[in-house]
């Protein structure tokens, strides 16, 4: 669930233009996708939230197995890789933004999600949501998506709109309004009529009677946007506003955008009336009006849209002649949408399901039906695998926290599964530290199973407060209320040196956590408040460790079951190889691969690389065709630079052991890590432009240069591997 906890801690459709449906859509003849042989007229990239390729229970078909309309389409017509990975931390906002940009969090500003902490000048800690509009300022006063130069990272729609292609967005991270009234003020201005109306509605007393009116601004303004090309008819109306991107490297002037359903729907329904009802409201794939829980047409809920809603809005965008559309779908293992509680007139408590539960299976069936209708509708519109690039992924996997199913042999399809115990185990870390370690040092965390710690006063890595806190956190043990086992909470500690190597330190030092605990994935770690026993030891109520049935699927951590997700591609230029797990990739690779196939180019160097192993030679520039030099360099580069590559994973073992050693050993570690990271960063900075130049400027890679770079990369990889193995041997003996 994307917005599970704001301070406790995504389908991307890109379609080329020229589409006309029933003569009603406005063609975008100027859209200039430049694919090989000009075969790609549409590109569809689908971003799921926590939808699984692999089975969580060996007897129960996986999420995608229960969506054969999607899975078979990908496997029969293209490639599906289960060797695809997230960045760190592995959580919704960071993962989606990495997909959108092709850059890790240290360069695009959000390596911690779905919110992040920052140190104020006085050493106190504030928090900002990771979900804000692209050009928004964070609560720390810096650009939300701060790049390595302190500017806002380039927007993913800019290359397409510059090429004459309108870009639609539905529920995808940070491309449309995410938070009110903040985002309305960013675009429309503080004190604007829109700000006044939105703020007035949100200021209404929180009563059941006022619930629909308080929800109305979210329905009208959140989650939907169209970024228009210059001269687009969709933005030739009074609803459009300037699409301001002042930090774009090549400039961005004269573009307009539509924000919110209240402004987008009139343009869509005028251009594609078949996708709307007679009153100008967009319909889902079943033909029902897309509306919130109170029946108001517009964005359906707080960033948990189901398949029929996201795909219905996307199809209407396409039929309105929008060549590029980004949309996101909620997971299937939480109840979506959450029904209203009659007592409060608000969405009731969330409910999580285990694999094979009847409602989980029913939701996946509804998703499968929606995809069947979506593909049929696209085919009727002339959008097929022969002229359309489909790119599909999930932000991350997640780990099921719960007991065993009953009956033991249930398969969910013929025999439903039930669970006597289900739900992540919630902890209060501050109370546990007080009880078990007597540690009263004030700190805050980003709530997660991999919490980032912010120690008040912002002490340095070698400061006694930091060193003691790290050791005390590692020593914490709790009794799992589901299994009865005594377990450690910590799996790996990462200090600032290690987080730097893992691309978790941004150009704004105020956002750098004191350290991160990659934890036991059964646990969701929080701190207490006045209502949950702040300052009390664990002998007093409420319990410091408890089962939380509202949520049962944890992510944010480093375990393979969480960080190894999947991606699929179908369309012109993509090999029809079916399931193919032999290539290591991560989220940074999807952006350059997609842009390269579309024949466009970003204004920056990617952290990822084009996945030529999955592509036909004819779709590639000559510099990439049968290029062993590119392939060998690209593959070793990923092991060097990806957080889940060899260097990232091996360094985490080395870091955890060193952090928990004495001060002298830790000082030695810091010296080694500084040297390793400096060498790695310098070498990656040499390799990335070479890979991008081959992909986007048709510059062949010199064999001698490639061999030298690979030799240097392997030397770093081997060095870190040796340190990790030495570390392991010392721990073992």
């Amino acid at each position: 669930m994307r917005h599970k906890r704001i301070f406790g801690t995504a389908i991307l459709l890109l379609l080329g233009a020229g589409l006309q449906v029933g003569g009603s859509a406005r063609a975008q003849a100027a859209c200039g996708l430049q694919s090989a042989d000009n075969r790609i007229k549409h590109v569809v990239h689908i971003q799921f939230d926590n939808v699984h390729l692999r089975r969580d229970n060996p007897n129960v078909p996986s999420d995608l197995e229960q969506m054969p309309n999607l899975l078979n389409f990908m496997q029969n017509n293209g490639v599906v890789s289960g060797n695809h990975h997230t960045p760190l931390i592995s959580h919704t906002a960071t993962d989606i933004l990495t997909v959108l940009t092709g850059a890790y969090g240290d360069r695009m500003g959000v390596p911690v999600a779905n919110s992040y902490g920052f140190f104020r000048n006085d050493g106190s800690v504030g928090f900002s949501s990771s979900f804000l509009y692209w050009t928004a300022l964070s609560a720390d006063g810096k650009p939300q998506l701060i790049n390595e130069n302190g500017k806002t990272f380039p927007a993913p729609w800019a290359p397409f709109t510059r090429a004459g292609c309108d870009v639609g967005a539905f529920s995808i991270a940070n491309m449309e309004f995410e938070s009110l009234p903040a985002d309305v003020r960013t675009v429309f201005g503080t004190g604007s009529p829109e700000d006044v109306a939105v703020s007035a509605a949100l200021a209404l007393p929180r009563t059941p009677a006022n619930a629909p009116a308080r929800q109305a601004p979210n329905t009208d303004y959140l989650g939907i946007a169209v970024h228009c090309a210059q001269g687009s008819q969709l933005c030739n109306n009074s609803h459009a506003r300037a699409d301001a991107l002042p930090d774009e490297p090549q400039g961005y002037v004269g573009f307009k955008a539509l924000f919110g359903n209240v402004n987008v729907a009139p343009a869509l329904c005028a251009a594609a009336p078949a996708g709307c009802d007679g009153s100008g409201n967009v319909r889902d794939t079943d033909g029902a009006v897309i509306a919130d829980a109170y029946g108001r047409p517009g964005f359906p809920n707080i960033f948990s849209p189901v398949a029929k809603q996201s795909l219905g809005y996307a199809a209407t965008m396409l039929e309105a002649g929008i060549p590029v559309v980004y949309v996101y779908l909620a997971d299937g293992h939480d109840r979506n949408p959450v029904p209203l509680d009659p007592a409060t007139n608000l969405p009731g408590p969330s409910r999580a399901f285990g694999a094979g539960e009847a409602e989980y299976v029913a939701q996946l069936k509804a998703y499968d039906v929606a995809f069947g209708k979506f593909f049929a509708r696209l085919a009727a519109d002339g959008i097929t695998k022969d002229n359309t690039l489909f790119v599909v992924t999930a932000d991350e996997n997640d780990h099921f926290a719960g007991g065993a199913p009953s009956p033991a042999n249930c398969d969910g399809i013929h025999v439903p599964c039930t669970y006597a115990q289900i739900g992540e185990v919630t902890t209060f870390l501050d109370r546990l530290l007080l009880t078990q370690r007597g540690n009263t040092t004030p700190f805050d965390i980003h709530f997660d199973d991999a919490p980032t710690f912010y120690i008040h006063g912002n002490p340095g890595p070698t400061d006694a407060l930091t060193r003691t806190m790290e050791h005390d956190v590692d020593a914490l043990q709790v009794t799992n209320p589901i299994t009865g086992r005594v377990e450690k909470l910590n799996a790996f500690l990462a200090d600032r040196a290690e987080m730097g190597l893992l691309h978790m330190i941004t150009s704004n030092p105020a956002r750098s956590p004191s350290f991160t605990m990659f934890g036991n994935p059964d646990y969701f770690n929080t701190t207490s408040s006045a209502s949950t026993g702040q300052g009390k030891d664990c002998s007093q109520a409420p319990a410091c460790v408890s089962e939380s049935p509202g949520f049962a699927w944890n992510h944010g951590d480093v375990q393979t079951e969480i960080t190894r997700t999947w991606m699929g591609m179908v369309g012109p230029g993509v090999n029809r190889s079916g399931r193919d797990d032999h290539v290591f990739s991560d989220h940074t690779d999807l952006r350059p691969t997609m842009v390269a196939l579309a024949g466009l180019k970003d204004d920056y160097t990617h952290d990822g690389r084009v996945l030529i192993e999955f592509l036909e030679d004819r779709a590639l520039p000559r510099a990439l065709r049968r290029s062993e030099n590119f392939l060998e360099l690209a593959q070793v580069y990923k092991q060097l630079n990806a957080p889940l590559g060899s260097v990232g994973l091996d360094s985490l073992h080395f870091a955890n052991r060193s952090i928990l050693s004495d001060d002298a050993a830790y000082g030695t570690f810091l010296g080694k890590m500084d040297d390793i990271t400096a060498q790695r960063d310098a070498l990656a900075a040499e390799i990335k432009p070479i890979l991008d130049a081959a992909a986007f400027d048709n510059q062949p890679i010199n064999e001698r240069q490639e061999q030298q770079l690979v030799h240097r990369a392997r030397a770093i990889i081997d060095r870190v591997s040796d340190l990790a193995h030495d570390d392991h041997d010392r721990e073992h003996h």
Side-chain angles (χ1 to χ4, degrees), residues 401-539:
S406 179
N409 65 343
C410 63
D411 65 1
I413 307 301
H414 305 95
V415 179
C417 301
T418 59
Y419 293 81
Q421 290 179 300
I422 188 170
E424 66 193 13
V425 181
T426 299
T427 72
F428 293 127
L429 289 181
D430 55 337
R431 296 177 61 201
L432 286 169
L433 284 165
L434 173 65
T435 302
Q436 296 185 20
R437 309 296 297 175
N439 193 325
T440 60
T441 301
F443 67 94
D444 288 291
I445 64 170
H446 159 256
F447 293 179
D448 203 79
D449 54 330
T452 47
F453 282 71
Y454 304 85
I455 301 174
H456 290 195
N458 196 12
T462 60
D463 190 284
L465 284 177
T466 307
R467 301 282 293 132
T468 300
M469 181 69 77
E470 290 167 337
H471 282 249
D472 286 349
V473 165
D474 177 69
L476 293 178
Q477 292 185 323
V478 298
T479 300
N480 188 315
I482 297 176
T483 65
R485 294 193 297 264
V486 176
E487 298 173 329
K488 280 188 64 173
L489 290 180
N490 176 50
F492 298 101
L493 292 179
D495 66 344
R496 286 177 177 168
E498 175 63 12
M499 287 188 291
L501 186 136
L502 296 175
H503 302 292
M504 293 177 61
I505 301 295
T506 72
S507 65
N508 179 12
R511 294 185 193 179
S512 299
S514 303
F515 63 92
T516 296
M517 181 190 83
F518 292 101
N520 184 320
D522 281 331
Y523 294 83
F524 189 85
N525 302 290
T526 72
T527 54
S528 60
S529 64
S531 62
T532 53
Q534 191 174 51
K536 299 178 181 178
D537 66 30
C538 292
S539 67

Side-chain angles (χ1 to χ4, degrees), residues 537-556:
D537 66 30
C538 292
S539 67
Q540 304 172 71
C544 286
V545 181
S546 61
E547 187 180 355
S548 302
F551 303 101
W553 298 87
N554 268 343
H555 42 269

Side-chain angles (χ1 to χ4, degrees), residues 198-209:
V198 166
S199 298
L202 295 176
L204 290 171
R206 296 177 181 271
T207 65

Side-chain angles (χ1 to χ4, degrees), residues 30-270:
C31 181
L33 300 179
Q34 302 293 323
S35 64
D37 303 325
N38 200 31
R39 293 181 62 192
I40 295 178
K41 303 299 181 181
H42 320 284
V43 184
V44 179
H45 180 164
I46 300 176
Q47 177 73 60
F48 279 106
D49 179 49
N50 297 324
V51 166
H52 295 185
L53 172 65
R54 293 177 173 85
R55 295 187 175 192
D56 296 291
N57 177 324
N59 297 323
V60 179
S62 72
D63 294 347
L64 283 180
E65 287 179 304
Q66 294 184 57
M67 287 188 262
N69 280 319
L70 174 61
L71 181 59
N72 292 342
F73 175 78
M74 294 188 295
Q75 292 191 144
N76 294 341
N77 300 294
V79 63
V80 175
S81 172
N83 194 14
H84 188 69
H85 298 81
T86 71
L88 293 176
I89 67 169
S90 180
H91 210 142
T92 308
T94 301
D95 295 344
I96 297 173
L97 289 167
T98 303
V99 171
L100 295 183
T101 61
Y104 295 119
D106 56 351
R107 290 184 61 209
M108 57 76 175
V110 183
V112 177
N114 289 347
S115 65
Y116 55 87
F118 60 90
F119 290 101
R120 301 185 181 97
N121 290 336
D122 63 0
S124 63
V125 179
F127 280 86
S128 178
S129 171
S130 299
F131 295 112
L132 292 169
Y133 180 61
W134 203 271
T135 58
L137 293 181
S138 164
D140 63 16
K142 302 291 185 179
Q144 168 80 343
L145 295 170
I146 190 169
N147 70 3
E148 61 267 42
N149 301 315
K151 302 290 187 180
T152 296
F153 197 91
W157 62 86
F160 296 97
T161 52
R162 286 195 187 111
C165 309
D166 291 344
V167 178
F170 185 90
S171 195
I172 198 79
N174 299 45
M175 284 182 61
E176 72 296 295
F177 290 176
E178 299 267 332
S179 178
L180 298 181
D183 288 340
V184 162
R185 292 170 180 170
T186 294
V187 171
F188 291 96
T190 301
S192 64
E194 292 82 1
D195 175 33
V196 171
V198 166
S199 298
L202 295 176
L204 290 171
R206 296 177 181 271
T207 65
N210 284 338
R214 286 180 51 82
Q215 173 62 27
N218 298 318
T219 306
D220 288 347
Y221 285 101
L222 288 182
I224 301 171
V226 175
H227 299 276
C228 288
Q230 290 182 344
S232 167
Q233 290 301 304
L234 287 175
C235 282
N236 186 23
N237 56 64
S238 61
H239 297 285
R241 292 293 184 273
D243 195 2
L245 295 174
D247 290 343
E248 286 299 307
Q250 302 301 318
Y252 197 77
V253 179
F255 294 87
K256 293 183 178 181
L258 302 168
F259 296 97
N261 182 75
V262 69
N263 294 312
V264 173
L268 294 187
C269 294

